[in-house]
Amino acid sequence: MAKSDRHETDETIREYASPACMLHEVDPAYSGISPDENRISDIFAWRKAERHRLIGARKALPIAKREEYTGAIATYLDQIVTDIDGKHISLFWPFSGEPDLRGWMAALAARGADCLLPVVVAKAEPLIFRSWKTGERLERGVWNIPVPAEGKEAVPDIVIAPLVGFDAACYRLGYGGGFFDRTLAALEHKPLVIGVGFESQKIDTIRPLAHDIPMDVIVTQAGLRYR
């Protein structure tokens, strides 16, 4: 991805990008989640602390290691993301040390896939997904994460979501907004849902709540985990 693709526009910020990168700093009520029991409040507080720890550890990985691990992740993804011609596949723009799968995304597009990026349009609402490929215009989301400026909205057949943390049951610890869970619950036809991250992000449990939806597959540089 050329640097110019990252800085194509200084337009007024109007939308949220995915990942909703600062939502781990925001009170849960912002995203429509209203804890009404001390236990749930304790879980939110614990998750916030875990997010800080895990994001810090991920960012501390040397860039060369992250690139090495990302290459391994792409290789494993090729084993499960097959028969992609004409399929809608949602990925993500890398943020804060996440695996950078944009090269793999370009390879998917070259093989006939319609690649999408998720966009948050309002708090407590499902994500939408817009098509994007290298060279198409981007605009800035709320935290300067690029989103497609003119992509067509589509429903994904496959969703590849970044992980802040994950557990053996394939539950995903995200950024705290609940947007992926809300979106997956709202989709009429459930896509294949794949969480991607580094092996160091594995924890004993995310302490799942009723709204949490497990991934179908977790992919790290160490391999594949199926639910």
Side-chain angles (χ1 to χ4, degrees):
M1 177 65 55
K3 288 184 179 179
S4 61
D5 285 331
R6 303 183 187 218
H7 304 283
E8 286 190 58
T9 178
D10 291 318
E11 293 179 17
T12 302
I13 292 169
R14 292 173 296 180
E15 296 176 315
Y16 295 86
S18 177
C21 54
M22 300 304 294
L23 285 172
H24 59 288
E25 301 285 358
V26 179
D27 187 272
Y30 176 89
S31 54
I33 303 170
S34 300
D36 55 5
E37 300 176 6
N38 288 336
R39 182 186 69 84
I40 298 177
S41 296
D42 288 345
I43 290 174
F44 278 121
W46 174 84
R47 287 183 175 185
K48 181 177 179 179
E50 278 294 275
R51 289 185 187 104
H52 278 289
R53 181 183 70 82
L54 291 164
I55 292 170
R58 184 176 65 195
K59 290 169 67 176
L61 283 171
I63 292 174
K65 275 294 179 190
R66 292 206 299 262
E67 291 176 347
E68 175 189 338
Y69 294 163
T70 297
I73 289 168
T75 298
Y76 284 118
L77 284 170
D78 279 332
Q79 296 179 18
I80 55 175
V81 181
T82 59
D83 187 26
I84 62 172
D85 189 24
K87 294 288 182 65
H88 293 97
I89 303 176
S90 172
L91 292 99
F92 57 92
W93 196 274
F95 171 80
S96 199
E98 291 172 340
D100 185 350
L101 293 171
R102 286 174 294 177
W104 187 70
M105 186 192 314
L108 291 180
R111 292 164 54 196
D114 185 9
C115 293
L116 313 173
L117 291 175
V119 179
V120 179
V121 293
K123 64 181 181 180
E125 293 292 332
L127 299 163
I128 64 169
F129 300 87
R130 288 184 184 158
S131 63
W132 183 82
K133 60 184 177 182
T134 303
E136 293 184 343
R137 192 166 71 87
L138 297 162
E139 62 186 13
R140 296 180 185 277
V142 160
W143 290 291
N144 290 327
I145 300 175
V147 297
E150 300 165 345
K152 293 182 179 180
E153 188 172 338
V155 177
D157 301 297
I158 300 171
V159 172
I160 298 176
L163 305 169
V164 172
F166 68 96
D167 62 23
C170 288
Y171 279 103
R172 168 186 179 268
L173 182 65
Y175 287 87
F179 289 104
F180 270 104
D181 291 324
R182 186 178 294 109
T183 303
L184 294 175
L187 291 175
E188 184 177 350
H189 301 290
K190 184 181 180 298
L192 173 67
V193 185
I194 304 169
V196 298
F198 302 130
E199 191 68 19
S200 58
Q201 295 167 258
K202 185 177 184 299
I203 57 179
D204 289 339
T205 178
I206 75 156
R207 300 175 70 181
L209 295 169
H211 64 271
D212 290 308
I213 297 176
M215 306 288 97
D216 296 310
V217 192
I218 298 288
V219 183
T220 74
Q221 77 273 14
L224 307 171
R225 290 179 175 86
Y226 291 89
R227 178 160 60 92

